[in-house]
């Protein structure tokens, strides 16, 4: 709304992938300050930052819509493979004995995104032919492919319970797409931009999304 930009962290390390808690007062983010990427909790008002006791290296935090669970990607030493994990949150702190590994197929699984009902995760997985989008039904522990595009796809974001935003890279440029899971229809959103990425849905009003491009948003 035109407010001033405020810097939230001052570490010289790379810090990425912020994920808000529903209260808007805290967020979880990725920091490389200890060498490998790990997840941290930031209290906005106090500036306090705490490393979360979770498998590492880790990235791609995603807080469930009700704020009670955290999904993330991690590649702990015992597996050496990036998989999707889930953990319960209590006052935004992970409950250590609830950590669950959710994917087990060889190849990198990253970028989980909660469906609005909290019952499923979309994620990007590499099954040997580049990153594709998958849907994981949590109760059934069943994952199935959503896309068959030749371009690598990741950064899924739900627009609503049946429509999924994501970006894809074909070796030349990044583009943002909208997938209708019910019909299978696939639409390109950045027709007026040569390149676009990192879709971010805006909730609480008419369905809209922001995509980042080289010239405008």
């Amino acid at each position: 709304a035109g407010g001033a930009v405020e810097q939230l962290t001052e570490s010289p390390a790379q810090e990425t992938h912020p994920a808000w808690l529903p209260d808007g007062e805290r967020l979880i983010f990725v920091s490389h300050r200890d060498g490998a990427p790990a997840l941290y909790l930031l209290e906005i008002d106090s500036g306090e930052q705490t490393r979360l006791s979770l498998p590492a290296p880790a990235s791609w935090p995603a807080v469930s819509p009700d704020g009670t669970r955290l999904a993330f990607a991690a590649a702990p030493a015992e597996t050496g493979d990036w998989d999707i994990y889930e953990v319960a949150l209590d006052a935004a702190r992970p409950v250590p004995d609830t950590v669950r590994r959710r994917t087990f197929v060889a190849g990198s699984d990253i970028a989980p995104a909660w469906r609005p009902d909290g019952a499923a995760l979309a994620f990007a997985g590499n099954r040997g032919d580049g990153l594709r989008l998958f849907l994981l039904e949590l109760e059934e522990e069943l994952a199935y492919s959503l896309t068959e595009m030749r371009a690598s796809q990741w950064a899924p974001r739900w627009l609503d319970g049946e429509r999924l935003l994501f970006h894809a890279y074909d070796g030349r440029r990044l583009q943002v797409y909208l997938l209708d899971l019910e019909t299978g229809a696939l639409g390109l959103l950045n027709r007026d931009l040569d390149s676009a990425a990192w879709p971010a849905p805006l909730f609480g009003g008419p369905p809209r999304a922001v995509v980042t491009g080289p010239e405008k948003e």
Side-chain angles (χ1 to χ4, degrees), residues 122-194:
F123 67 94
N126 189 336
R127 302 295 184 257
D129 55 354
L131 287 169
R132 303 287 182 267
L133 296 187
F134 292 82
L135 182 69
L136 172 64
E137 297 284 357
L138 296 173
E139 184 174 348
E140 293 83 358
E141 297 186 343
L142 175 66
Y144 56 90
S145 177
L146 294 177
T147 54
E148 299 294 336
M149 298 171 62
R150 298 179 64 181
S152 290
Q153 310 117 50
W154 70 101
R157 294 290 183 270
W158 292 92
L159 190 60
D160 54 39
E162 294 294 339
R163 294 182 296 171
L164 193 66
L165 296 158
F166 64 94
H167 68 219
Y169 182 64
D170 61 7
R172 296 179 299 130
R173 59 181 179 168
L174 280 162
Q175 296 180 300
V176 172
Y177 290 86
L178 176 63
L179 172 65
D180 188 314
L181 275 67
E182 185 174 2
T183 66
L186 187 66
L188 177 65
L189 294 190
N190 60 294
R191 298 186 184 279
D192 296 329
L193 293 170
D194 289 336

Side-chain angles (χ1 to χ4, degrees), residues 16-22 26-30 38-42 50-74 83-103 111-115 118 120-122 136 138 157:
T16 60
H17 298 101
W20 286 103
L21 275 296
R26 296 167 293 184
L27 59 81
I28 294 172
F29 67 99
V30 179
L39 301 185
Y40 286 75
L41 176 68
L42 170 65
T50 306
R51 179 169 173 168
L52 301 180
S53 298
L54 293 169
S59 189
W60 304 96
V63 179
S64 64
D66 63 3
T68 64
R69 290 175 290 167
L70 176 71
F72 59 100
D83 285 296
I84 305 300
Y85 288 76
E86 179 193 354
V87 65
L89 295 176
D90 182 10
R93 306 283 176 165
V95 181
D97 60 1
T98 67
V99 174
R100 296 182 62 183
R101 182 180 172 188
R102 284 297 197 169
T103 60
W114 291 93
R115 197 168 64 193
L121 291 166
L136 172 64
L138 296 173
R157 294 290 183 270

